[in-house]
Amino acid sequence: MGVTGEQIGPARSRERFLVGESVETGVRSPILNSWLRCRLLGLSADQTELPYRDDFDPDSRLVRAAAPVLDRLQSRFSGSQMNVSVADADGTVLQRRFGEPSLARSLPPIQTVPGFVFAERFAGTNGIGLALAERGPIQVYGAEHFAQRAQASACCAVPIRDQLSGRIVGVLCFGYPHAYEHPALPVLLRRAAESIERRLMEQSSARERGLLRTYLDAERGSLPGGGALDGQPAGAGAPQERVPLALDAHDQRVLKEKATELIAASQRATVDVALRHGREATLLSRPVTSRSGVAGMVVEAVLSGGPPGGHDLPVPPRPGPSGRQEPPTAAGPRPGTVRGLVLVGEPEVGKYAVEARRRLELLVDASSRIGTTLDVSRTAMELAETAVPALADYVTVDLPEAVLRGDEPGGPGGELFRAVVHGIRDDCPFYPAGRHVELGPATPQLRCLTSGQPVLEPELRSAAGWLAQSPERSRSVLAHGVHSLIAVPLLARGVLLGIASFYRATDPAPFGDDDTRLAQELSARAALCIDNARRYTREHALALALQRSLLPRGLPEQGAVEVAHRYLPAESGVGGDWFDVIPLSGARVALLVGDVVGHGLHAAATMGRLRTAARNFAELELAPDELLTHLDNLLVRLDREEGDDHPTGSNGIVGATCLYAIYDPTSRLCTMARAGHLPPAVVHPDGTASFPDLPAGPPLGLGGLPFETAEIELPEDSTLVLYTDGLVEDRHRDIDVALEQLQRTLAHRGRTPEDTCRAVMDAMAPEHPADDIALLVARTHTLPADRIATWDLPSDPARVCDIRAAATARLADWGLEELAFAAELLLSELVTNAIRYGTEPIQVRLIHDRALICEVSDGSSTAPHMRRAASTDEGGRGLFLVAQLAQAWGTRYTPRGKVIWAECALDAA
């Protein structure tokens, strides 16, 4: 087809097809059918990516057969822009050749590198994919390609078939510019494909060819003397013409696997095999002997039900005695049945093939069974469970304790720990799991560890090193029938992680080299998974250590509440949950729980930053809503700063939730605010539990949204319960149901905080937590009224002496006469400052708690600042004196002004 025709033919038709117009005319039927399939597959004409496989065999039978043919074609088209490729039956390109070598350097990898899959379901209409779909020779020109990338070229392709079975094993494809189109190209391609098919046939063993020739001769009745196949008349019960079996890849594999087993059994047999689509096949195995005396087996299949789609392959009628065509007899195939050859081979080869298939199945099984978790011990057990009984009857796995902890293992001579013992019986006297294993210098295991190579002991009775390890135990193991051993090192990324030992007992044949290679392959896969688990264990331990170092190690002394707590990390990763207890001025205490969204080191580090910031903000005596606002702003800044370090802006900080509460034992008032956190629970002295109505507030990290506070009065001996969402939220339960369960668990009077923690964790904590759990339980106390003294005074300096006298008298009532001098000086300075610089109302309060607390409040919001007074200054030393006399002092703001406070230790005198 010329350029003009290309523009007014397929090119225009393809454009119309892509926009949904009808193109039944003007497009060849195979091309149109392929376009329709591409549309149904959801392919895009503009797609450029194709699947790439790196697991294809670059030295397969097909590649070896095709390589000389491809070389000859490359030489014939040397210097041209022609290219030739061979693909397997799945459309994966295995080899390419270019007439002009420089062409390969100018084309993209998809057109030059083997491994890309050109099956129609991925690449759309193209030579390789269409030849496989149409099961015959095909040519595709320019715009007939579905993909836009292939519009500038043409190609022709032809399937390559296995001459024994007739199935397609590959495709040979020519690619070339439009100007190279020539009628001889398809002919040349077909001849080249036939040459590859002949070379494939030549690769079959001479023995198999002899068996096959005997079988074919017997079917044609050409054996000497009338010929018979193992005594059966030639051609009896057989159709006159053999046809390829119309089976998909799955059914072919099923029949071949069963046929291989029949050949390995070396017996005449008839076996029914169920296929897909409701079909059934009967496999017939018969002995056959070639002219050279090779004894083998031939397996044929008789299919019933016709090929998929309901169209039965016709069976030619047999000529009757009168010359008329008669239907097949009962001895031959019934109407609607097809008979064909499945496999020819020798029993020993068949046994090897069966065993090879079982080994391959075991490796496939291992890929899905080993490494399902990131637990070192469990991964070792999965290795043993996979190998028993498919390869061995008993398996032991010994690992250094460092590997179990997640650390780097020591040298090969280090102490080992028996991690796994698994077998067909539980009473075999191997060293039990959980104990240390000391290896003698001549044991197969130590030789294996030292050399880094598998060690095979086919006969344990003669393995002196193994017998000498523990003679009594060795005799007991042998008495249980164990007779053969393979010791394999667990090597991953150049690190020796331990050793796996495989023992055979029930099979009388000892382990061989093939068994050793299989054990080595299984152990290599397991070792990689064990190393992954070890690295995860180490990283998890480091992250957990970091997280625990950022959590409170002990609770501070304070008298407002009695506190107990629990922290349970998630199994799968470290989270960002935290809690804190912060003593405040005026005998008050702050309770805090929070949860950073996400898991891992980043969440733990963010948690540490937030907890530190929360403590600092609490020291500033901020109200709960103000503290949450500062934390919100901090998290927004952290998010912005870390986002600048990530090109995608994804830094892992999504936000956090927090609940902050301040309890005052002098008034029994608890002021709380929460930022997207779950509400606290309150257990009243009578044992009733409830969740107070507390505004939820937005999570931290959103920025710019307000928080609200709520104030509730807690009777003495009430219990305040703060927790994170890991306690009540998971995939297996509804949060409302979990909260109801928590409420029922808390509804109990007289419990201590420690008892409450224990009851809550027993009832609520999942066995395998997916998220961290932080629990903080505080039982409130009330400061007795007789330990609080309060005086109101006017803004009159003359009243300072009255306050000093009243305070001295009250201290005497409390038995704190030793503190009278320090208290008088503190009150003098604080009251004088309030009168001189503050505004009314002025109030003085003394609190006898764990320390003597002196507080002076006034209506001004101006805070005093300590400064260094010069030697010539007459004032400025008052706050310096306060700081020297008190163990702590500070200022907090109230809605009506400020409070200046100072604490004196009771033992200060």
Side-chain angles (χ1 to χ4, degrees):
M1 182 177 296
V3 176
T4 303
E6 182 72 29
Q7 293 175 345
I8 63 176
R12 177 58 180 161
S13 298
R14 178 175 174 277
E15 293 176 0
R16 291 168 53 200
F17 177 83
L18 293 178
V19 298
E21 296 182 15
S22 176
V23 291
E24 278 74 13
T25 59
V27 181
R28 292 185 294 140
S29 177
I31 301 298
L32 180 58
N33 291 337
S34 179
W35 288 358
L36 293 172
R37 290 193 295 268
C38 295
R39 174 183 288 172
L40 293 174
L41 290 168
L43 298 180
S44 170
D46 297 326
Q47 71 180 51
T48 58
E49 296 184 359
L50 291 181
Y52 177 79
R53 295 178 51 191
D54 58 1
D55 60 344
F56 69 92
D57 185 3
D59 193 37
S60 64
R61 292 180 62 244
L62 180 58
V63 172
R64 293 197 304 270
V69 179
L70 298 181
D71 291 339
R72 289 197 298 270
L73 292 173
Q74 182 180 24
S75 176
R76 177 166 184 169
F77 293 101
S78 176
S80 72
Q81 296 186 13
M82 300 281 287
N83 72 85
V84 59
S85 59
V86 63
D88 64 16
D90 294 324
T92 303
V93 173
L94 306 178
Q95 288 279 305
R96 284 190 180 274
R97 297 287 192 276
F98 294 88
E100 175 55 55
S102 61
L103 188 62
R105 295 190 294 271
S106 62
L107 294 176
I110 197 174
Q111 297 181 15
T112 59
V113 178
F116 285 98
V117 183
F118 281 78
E120 187 182 68
R121 65 183 183 276
F122 301 117
T125 308
N126 71 93
I128 295 174
L130 196 52
L132 290 172
E134 295 292 326
R135 305 185 64 83
I138 197 71
Q139 289 180 280
V140 184
Y141 305 98
E144 289 182 334
H145 290 91
F146 187 81
Q148 184 67 35
R149 64 172 180 275
Q151 298 294 292
S153 63
C155 64
C156 57
V158 62
I160 302 171
R161 298 181 181 273
D162 186 333
Q163 294 183 352
L164 288 177
S165 63
R167 64 184 180 93
I168 296 175
V169 296
V171 176
L172 184 65
C173 181
F174 274 16
Y176 49 88
H178 291 288
Y180 283 45
E181 179 63 34
H182 193 279
L185 282 178
V187 178
L188 179 62
L189 186 66
R190 177 64 260 177
R191 291 176 178 173
E194 291 172 351
S195 178
I196 296 176
E197 292 173 351
R198 288 192 299 270
R199 292 184 59 83
L200 281 171
M201 185 63 185
E202 291 171 1
Q203 290 182 8
S204 300
S205 70
R207 300 167 69 94
E208 289 183 350
R209 290 203 303 272
L211 292 173
L212 176 63
R213 187 177 302 110
T214 301
Y215 163 77
L216 296 176
D217 290 344
E219 291 299 306
R220 289 193 294 266
S222 60
L223 289 178
L229 187 60
D230 192 38
Q232 179 177 334
Q240 292 181 341
E241 181 180 354
R242 287 288 192 260
V243 294
L245 300 178
L247 299 173
D248 57 25
H250 174 271
D251 288 347
Q252 290 183 27
R253 183 172 64 253
V254 170
L255 289 182
K256 285 184 175 294
E257 290 176 357
K258 192 62 180 177
T260 302
E261 295 176 2
L262 293 176
I263 292 175
S266 187
Q267 293 179 354
R268 184 190 298 272
T270 302
V271 178
D272 291 330
V273 181
L275 305 178
R276 297 200 296 186
H277 309 295
R279 308 181 72 195
E280 187 178 80
T282 300
L283 289 183
L284 309 173
S285 66
R286 296 178 293 168
V288 61
T289 303
S290 69
R291 290 188 179 91
S292 60
V294 176
M297 299 292 294
V298 59
V299 180
E300 293 180 306
V302 179
L303 304 181
S304 61
H311 301 287
D312 293 339
L313 293 178
V315 178
R318 303 172 62 206
S322 61
R324 295 178 300 172
Q325 300 295 321
E326 297 181 354
T329 63
R334 299 182 303 275
T337 63
V338 179
R339 185 175 181 182
L341 174 65
V342 178
L343 209 59
V344 174
E346 298 176 71
E348 288 302 319
V349 177
K351 291 178 182 178
Y352 183 83
V354 170
E355 188 63 29
R357 188 179 75 244
R358 289 175 180 170
R359 296 176 189 275
L360 180 60
E361 291 172 350
L362 179 59
L363 292 177
V364 173
D365 187 40
S367 65
S368 61
R369 294 183 60 183
I370 300 176
T372 60
T373 69
L374 287 172
D375 180 83
V376 173
S377 297
R378 179 58 199 158
T379 304
M381 176 58 77
E382 289 170 346
L383 167 62
E385 291 174 343
T386 302
V388 175
L391 173 62
D393 296 304
Y394 300 95
V395 174
T396 65
V397 180
D398 303 323
L399 305 172
E401 283 192 278
V403 172
L404 295 172
R405 295 193 306 265
D407 298 332
E408 293 286 340
E415 194 172 27
L416 294 175
F417 184 84
R418 176 59 51 86
V420 169
V421 177
H422 181 67
I424 57 175
R425 293 171 55 183
D426 297 330
D427 60 348
C428 198
F430 294 103
Y431 289 121
R435 66 161 288 175
H436 293 283
V437 178
E438 296 182 3
L439 300 177
T443 57
Q445 287 84 355
L446 187 59
R447 285 155 42 207
C448 168
L449 290 174
T450 305
S451 65
Q453 297 296 324
V455 173
L456 170 63
E457 289 287 357
E459 293 293 338
L460 283 177
R461 292 186 181 277
S462 58
W466 179 81
L467 293 171
Q469 171 74 16
S470 175
E472 182 177 353
R473 188 176 296 273
S474 298
R475 286 193 296 269
S476 181
V477 170
L478 292 173
H480 280 73
V482 177
H483 60 81
S484 191
L485 162 69
I486 303 174
V488 183
L490 297 174
L491 284 166
R493 303 181 178 97
V495 178
L496 184 61
L497 301 173
I499 187 170
S501 300
F502 302 83
Y503 296 89
R504 176 169 288 179
T506 57
D507 189 342
F511 283 127
D513 292 336
D514 290 342
D515 299 307
T516 303
R517 285 189 288 269
L518 179 59
Q520 188 175 16
E521 179 65 25
L522 287 177
S523 300
R525 298 189 182 196
L528 188 61
C529 296
I530 289 174
D531 192 49
N532 291 338
R534 178 189 66 84
R535 291 168 181 261
Y536 169 79
T537 300
R538 181 182 59 188
E539 297 298 328
H540 183 72
L542 290 175
L544 191 60
L546 170 64
Q547 184 187 39
R548 290 193 180 279
S549 70
L550 297 174
L551 290 171
R553 298 197 177 185
L555 298 180
E557 292 186 2
Q558 44 79 38
V561 293
E562 179 186 351
V563 179
H565 62 88
R566 292 290 188 276
Y567 177 78
L568 183 64
E571 276 194 354
S572 58
V574 173
D577 292 16
W578 87 95
F579 64 92
D580 213 342
V581 178
I582 308 171
L584 301 178
S585 65
R588 299 170 305 143
V589 65
L591 305 173
L592 177 69
V593 292
D595 183 4
V596 175
V597 176
H599 291 83
L601 286 174
H602 195 273
T606 303
M607 175 272 288
R609 298 166 100 174
L610 286 179
R611 176 175 174 261
T612 302
R615 292 189 68 90
N616 292 334
F617 293 146
E619 292 289 338
L620 297 177
E621 303 282 359
L622 298 178
D625 56 338
E626 295 178 359
L627 182 139
L628 293 181
T629 298
H630 281 75
L631 289 180
D632 183 44
N633 294 334
L634 172 64
L635 198 55
V636 170
R637 287 197 300 273
L638 291 176
D639 201 359
R640 185 183 306 116
E641 291 170 1
E642 298 195 10
D644 295 340
D645 298 333
H646 295 74
T648 63
S650 175
N651 50 44
I653 299 180
V654 178
T657 64
C658 184
L659 171 61
Y660 185 71
I662 297 177
Y663 175 68
D664 188 345
T666 64
S667 62
R668 302 199 310 273
L669 292 179
C670 183
T671 306
M672 297 179 286
R674 60 183 177 129
H677 203 82
L678 292 167
V682 175
V683 184
H684 298 274
D686 61 359
T688 60
S690 63
F691 297 99
D693 186 13
L694 178 62
L700 301 177
L702 297 182
L705 298 177
F707 301 94
E708 299 181 61
T709 61
E711 189 174 78
I712 60 174
E713 184 175 347
L714 297 176
E716 186 175 6
D717 290 332
S718 297
T719 300
L720 189 63
V721 181
L722 287 69
Y723 53 92
T724 55
D725 58 359
L727 185 68
V728 293
E729 286 186 3
D730 61 39
R731 296 177 299 175
H732 307 294
R733 56 181 173 177
D734 182 82
I735 185 172
D736 293 331
V737 175
L739 288 174
E740 292 178 2
Q741 182 183 1
L742 176 61
Q743 187 176 11
R744 290 193 301 270
T745 304
L746 293 173
H748 194 286
R749 64 180 300 175
R751 277 185 181 150
T752 65
E754 187 66 30
D755 292 338
T756 300
C757 278
R758 187 180 301 111
V760 169
M761 296 300 289
D762 290 344
M764 303 294 299
E767 183 178 358
H768 303 286
D771 195 6
D772 291 9
I773 297 175
L775 176 65
L776 184 63
V777 178
R779 186 167 66 180
T780 63
H781 299 314
T782 301
L783 198 64
D786 59 0
R787 303 185 72 170
I788 304 173
T790 304
W791 300 277
D792 295 318
L793 70 156
S795 182
D796 182 1
R799 299 295 302 274
V800 175
C801 61
D802 297 337
I803 291 297
R804 292 169 59 182
T808 301
R810 181 54 61 93
L811 291 177
D813 294 340
W814 288 344
L816 301 177
E817 294 88 348
E818 295 85 354
L819 295 178
F821 177 74
E824 286 183 21
L825 289 178
L826 289 175
L827 289 175
S828 295
E829 294 299 331
L830 296 180
V831 172
T832 300
N833 273 340
I835 293 174
R836 179 177 299 178
Y837 303 109
T839 59
E840 295 184 350
I842 300 174
Q843 187 181 76
V844 176
R845 186 169 71 158
L846 288 182
I847 301 175
H848 180 197
D849 191 31
R850 292 177 177 268
L852 178 64
I853 303 172
C854 304
E855 294 183 347
V856 178
S857 63
D858 64 77
S860 171
S861 59
T862 302
H865 297 282
M866 186 171 61
R867 64 183 178 87
R868 179 180 295 276
S871 58
T872 57
D873 291 343
E874 295 183 359
R877 297 176 177 85
L879 289 181
F880 177 76
L881 181 62
V882 169
Q884 297 302 309
L885 293 174
Q887 66 177 4
W889 75 279
T891 304
R892 71 174 182 268
Y893 294 93
T894 68
R896 297 181 301 274
K898 68 176 181 296
V899 176
I900 302 176
W901 57 270
E903 291 184 1
C904 283
L906 297 182
D907 58 355

